[in-house]
Amino acid sequence: KHEEALSDRFLNRLQPLLEQNKLSLFGSQKSDDRTPTFAICLNDVRTHDPYFGMAWNDTPDPYYLVKKLNEKNIFCTHGNHYAVELVEKSLQQVDGVTRISFLHYNTLEEVDRVVDELENICQI
């Protein structure tokens, strides 16, 4: 029950970012069809260039999202997570995905903190 509540909160809060095409979420968007482990990636990222100001990055760093979250002490990973066939071939994410996991010891407030940071990152 608790893990389903964590998934519900994450999926509901993430929905606007998905609808705006800021992020992609792989797997079911229904909490009862999944565990609270999420594979996501940024679709577009606006980065700060010290010489040219804000600009769309034509070749975004696939590790950008995980780096930004880790900087805020939100620890997650990026890669194929030992599921090469799934991530690189089925999902067609040759650079990998960012994986965020919530477990029985996480709180709804921690889920909110993660989504708050995702919203901040997507506004950059």
Side-chain angles (χ1 to χ4, degrees), residues 5 13 24 40 44 74 83-84 94 98 102 107 111:
R13 295 258 345 257
S24 288
I40 63 174
D44 290 313
I74 297 170
V84 177
V94 294
T98 297
F102 302 103
T107 65
V111 173

Side-chain angles (χ1 to χ4, degrees), residues 2-20:
H2 178 68
E3 289 182 0
E4 191 172 323
L6 297 172
S7 288
D8 276 338
R9 177 71 65 94
F10 185 76
L11 292 167
N12 288 333
R13 295 258 345 257
L14 199 66
Q15 195 59 41
L17 296 174
L18 300 173
E19 289 171 359
Q20 295 169 31

Side-chain angles (χ1 to χ4, degrees), residues 17 24 28 39 44-45 49 59 65 71 86 95 103 109 117:
L17 296 174
S24 288
S28 177
D44 290 313
V45 62
D49 182 309
T59 56
L65 181 59
E71 286 172 7
L86 173 66
D95 292 323
L103 292 171
E109 292 77 17
E117 276 310 315

Side-chain angles (χ1 to χ4, degrees), residues 15 23-24 30 36 55 63 66 76 86 111 123:
Q15 195 59 41
L23 289 174
S24 288
K30 297 179 184 177
Y63 292 89
V66 75
C76 53
L86 173 66
V111 173
Q123 290 178 13

Side-chain angles (χ1 to χ4, degrees), residues 49-64:
D49 182 309
Y51 300 104
F52 301 107
M54 298 301 281
W56 288 107
N57 190 341
D58 292 331
T59 56
D61 176 3
Y63 292 89
Y64 181 80

Side-chain angles (χ1 to χ4, degrees), residues 1-7 9-10 36-38 73-75 100-114:
K1 275 290 199 210
H2 178 68
E3 289 182 0
E4 191 172 323
L6 297 172
S7 288
R9 177 71 65 94
F10 185 76
T37 299
F38 302 93
N73 293 322
I74 297 170
F75 298 107
I100 298 173
S101 300
F102 302 103
L103 292 171
H104 59 278
Y105 50 76
N106 290 113
T107 65
L108 293 172
E109 292 77 17
E110 289 172 316
V111 173
D112 287 337
R113 184 170 167 260
V114 170

Side-chain angles (χ1 to χ4, degrees), residues 20-55:
Q20 295 169 31
N21 201 34
K22 300 281 186 177
L23 289 174
S24 288
L25 170 69
F26 302 96
S28 177
Q29 292 188 24
K30 297 179 184 177
S31 60
D32 55 350
D33 287 343
R34 64 177 309 136
T35 62
T37 299
F38 302 93
I40 63 174
C41 69
L42 285 173
N43 291 331
D44 290 313
V45 62
R46 194 165 203 145
T47 58
H48 179 65
D49 182 309
Y51 300 104
F52 301 107
M54 298 301 281

